[in-house]
Structures are given as structure tokens and as C-alpha cells.
């Protein structure tokens, strides 16, 4: 586990602890589903606790997501700028989700179930706006490595956010009922307008990050690894639940994102050599 957290590029003991718990939550989720599918008899004993056993690692994962990202960037970006980025992303992401769940704009008709816990104004789980902050900043980091102009970093960062959703949406709406599209859609029950909404909201968040960072952004060596884990976790769920189309498409776009960011940085991030 330590070698994996070392790839995150963090050194403080509490950061390593948080990263280790985060990774264990991912492994627990995937391992638990694999156990149930390979040894179905365990459901006889786990059945009454199944929902709780899904919620606990998921809530842990969601809670630690922004904590790890904060630890990544607080030294390089500074607490004031990072705090402003946090507020911007949470407000933009949170408001868009509140409007979206109430009106269907810009993501299409959808609603959150109770599986992600308490909700702001009865509509959006509190974890969700923080996940916009975490993954938007990591996506911006990868875009920063791949592009050298502000407009291109914003565009590429938004596309990298969209790439994450390719596997996330099927896993969270089909493998588990964390959210639902009542009217269905072409991509595993998801309307394609959802991706347009993701692209638009992500672009707005990226513009804010670009303006707030104001040339002071410092990429983090752990960003590609963190992005990869957050893509391959839902990809693993899709695989275990037989959503093979999502696995195929999601794997391709994830590999493309990591290849573009590594190539743009002028280094092979797998060997930890910086540009």
C-alpha cells in the first residue's frame, strides 16, 4: 500500500493514511462485489447488510476525495488560492446540480437516491459538489501538462472531466442506484444531453480555476495516478456488472487522457520523471 501512496507524491504521515484508507475503500468495494459474484452463497448472510456494505466504502471514498486533492495542491497553489478554487467549484457544481435535479437543465432529467446520504435542499447529496472540486482540479492538472495556452487548458480540462463520466455514470446508475434517469437514454439509460451538461459545467469550473490560479498553478506528480484510480474504479464496477460497452469505451478514453497528459508533459509519468 505504501508504494501506491508513494506514487501519489505525498510525504506527510496523515496524507499517506488518508490515501491508504481511500485505496482500501476502492479495493473493499471491488473485492466485495467479486466475492458475491464468485461465491453467491455469501449473499445468504450478507443480504440484509448489502446496502450498508456498499454505502460505507462509497461514503468513505467520496469524503476523502477532496481531502486528498487539497493535500496535493495546498503547498504548490497556496491555501488562499486553493480555497477560492474550492469555493468556485463547489458553488458552480452545486448550483448546476440543484438546477439540474429540479429542472432537467443542463444534464437532462435525473434524481439522486438516498444511497449517497443526506442531500442539500433535499435534492443533491453533500458529497457531490466536493467531487466537482476534486476531479475538476485533477483534470485541470492533466490539461496543464498537455496544453500551454489558457483557452486550451480550459477546453482540454473539460474534456478530461467528461472522459471520467464515461465510466462513472453507468457504474453509479446501473451497477448501483446512486442516481436515476427516469426517462432513460441511449447510453446505459443516460441521456446524451448529460454529457453536454458535463462539458458546459466543467468548462465554467475550468475557467474559474484558470483565472484564480493566475499563472501560479503547480502540477502535482500524483495527479495522473489519482485520475487513473478514479476512472478505473467505476470501470471495475462496470466490468463486474457486465456493462462491457462502458468498459470498452471508458478504458479507451481513460488511456487516451493519460497518454495525452504524459506526452504533453514531455515525460513518462510512470517513471516519476518530471518535465
Amino acid at each position: 500500500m505504501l508504494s501506491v501512496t508513494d506514487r501519489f507524491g505525498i510525504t506527510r504521515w496523515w496524507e499517506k493514511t488518508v490515501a491508504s484508507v481511500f485505496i482500501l475503500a476502492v479495493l473493499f468495494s471491488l473485492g466485495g462485489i467479486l466475492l458475491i459474484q464468485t461465491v453467491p452463497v455469501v449473499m445468504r448472510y450478507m443480504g440484509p447488510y448489502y446496502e450498508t456494505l456498499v454505502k460505507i466504502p462509497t461514503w468513505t471514498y467520496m469524503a476523502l476525495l477532496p481531502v486528498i486533492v487539497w493535500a496535493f495542491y495546498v503547498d504548490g497553489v497556496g491555501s488562499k488560492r486553493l480555497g477560492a478554487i474550492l469555493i468556485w467549484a463547489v458553488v458552480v457544481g452545486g448550483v448546476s446540480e440543484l438546477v439540474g435535479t429540479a429542472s432537467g437543465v443542463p444534464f437532462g432529467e435525473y434524481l439522486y437516491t438516498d444511497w449517497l446520504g443526506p442531500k442539500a435542499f433535499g435534492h443533491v447529496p453533500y458529497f457531490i459538489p466536493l467531487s466537482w472540486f476534486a476531479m475538476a482540479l485533477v483534470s485541470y492538472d492533466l490539461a496543464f501538462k498537455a496544453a500551454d495556452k489558457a483557452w486550451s487548458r480550459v477546453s482540454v480540462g473539460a474534456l478530461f472531466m467528461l472522459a471520467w463520466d464515461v465510466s462513472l455514470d453507468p457504474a453509479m446508475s446501473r451497477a448501483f442506484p446512486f442516481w436515476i434517469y427516469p426517462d432513460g437514454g441511449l447510453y446505459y439509460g443516460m441521456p446524451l444531453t448529460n454529457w453536454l451538461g458535463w462539458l458546459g459545467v466543467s468548462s465554467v469550473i475550468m475557467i474559474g480555476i484558470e483565472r484564480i490560479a493566475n499563472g501560479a498553478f503547480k502540477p502535482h506528480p500524483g495527479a495522473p495516478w489519482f485520475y487513473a484510480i478514479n476512472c478505473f474504479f467505476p470501470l471495475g464496477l462496470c466490468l463486474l456488472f457486465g456493462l462491457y460497452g462502458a468498459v470498452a469505451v471508458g478504458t479507451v478514453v481513460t488511456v487516451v487522457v493519460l497518454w495525452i497528459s504524459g506526452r504533453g508533459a514531455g515525460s513518462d509519468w510512470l517513471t516519476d520523471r518530471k518535465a
Side-chain angles (χ1 to χ4, degrees):
M1 184 67 68
L2 288 178
S3 62
V4 176
T5 57
D6 286 344
R7 288 289 186 178
F8 278 10
I10 54 180
T11 57
R12 288 172 286 219
W13 69 267
W14 68 268
E15 295 172 346
K16 286 181 175 287
T17 301
V18 169
S20 296
V21 173
F22 179 83
I23 294 169
L24 286 172
V26 171
L27 295 177
F28 181 88
S29 296
L30 294 175
I33 297 302
L34 182 61
L35 175 64
I36 290 170
Q37 293 191 351
T38 55
V39 190
V41 70
V42 301
M43 275 299 288
R44 183 181 305 172
Y45 308 99
M46 294 173 56
Y49 312 104
Y50 177 74
E51 185 174 332
T52 300
L53 290 171
V54 171
K55 287 180 177 179
I56 289 175
T58 302
W59 292 13
T60 301
Y61 166 89
M62 296 289 288
L64 296 183
L65 193 68
V67 176
I68 293 174
V69 171
W70 181 274
F72 272 9
Y73 298 104
V74 66
D75 292 334
V77 178
S79 58
K80 289 185 178 179
R81 277 198 173 95
L82 188 56
I85 290 171
L86 169 65
I87 293 171
W88 173 255
V90 165
V91 169
V92 173
V95 169
S96 69
E97 295 274 0
L98 286 171
V99 173
T101 51
S103 68
V105 178
F107 304 107
E109 295 290 339
Y110 74 107
L111 57 91
Y112 287 100
T113 67
D114 293 331
W115 279 48
L116 282 178
K119 305 173 190 175
F121 301 101
H123 285 279
V124 180
Y126 291 105
F127 289 129
I128 296 299
L130 289 168
S131 69
W132 278 100
F133 155 72
M135 288 305 292
L137 192 51
V138 170
S139 296
Y140 178 84
D141 186 319
L142 300 189
F144 192 90
K145 294 178 171 71
D148 58 358
K149 297 185 183 301
W151 67 267
S152 55
R153 286 193 290 268
V154 167
S155 302
V156 173
L159 287 171
F160 286 178
M161 277 289 285
L162 183 62
W164 174 47
D165 191 50
V166 170
S167 55
L168 178 70
D169 240 298
M172 298 297 102
S173 63
R174 284 299 181 92
F176 296 104
F178 289 108
W179 55 79
I180 297 170
Y181 296 98
D183 297 333
L186 293 175
Y187 186 72
Y188 292 98
M190 181 198 79
L192 297 183
T193 53
N194 180 65
W195 282 345
L196 294 177
W198 265 76
L199 196 59
V201 173
S202 297
S203 296
V204 174
I205 294 176
M206 295 298 164
I207 291 171
I209 295 174
E210 178 70 30
R211 294 294 298 273
I212 294 169
N214 194 28
F217 185 78
K218 182 180 179 182
H220 193 280
W225 288 96
F226 194 68
Y227 183 91
I229 287 174
N230 281 283
C231 288
F232 286 114
F233 178 30
L235 280 172
L237 293 174
C238 288
L239 179 63
L240 290 171
F241 281 89
L243 307 176
Y244 301 123
V247 174
V249 177
T251 299
V252 170
V253 297
T254 300
V255 170
V256 168
V257 167
L258 296 174
W259 179 80
I260 290 174
S261 65
R263 183 173 180 271
S267 67
D268 182 358
W269 56 266
L270 288 171
T271 61
D272 288 336
R273 287 188 290 107
K274 298 181 182 179

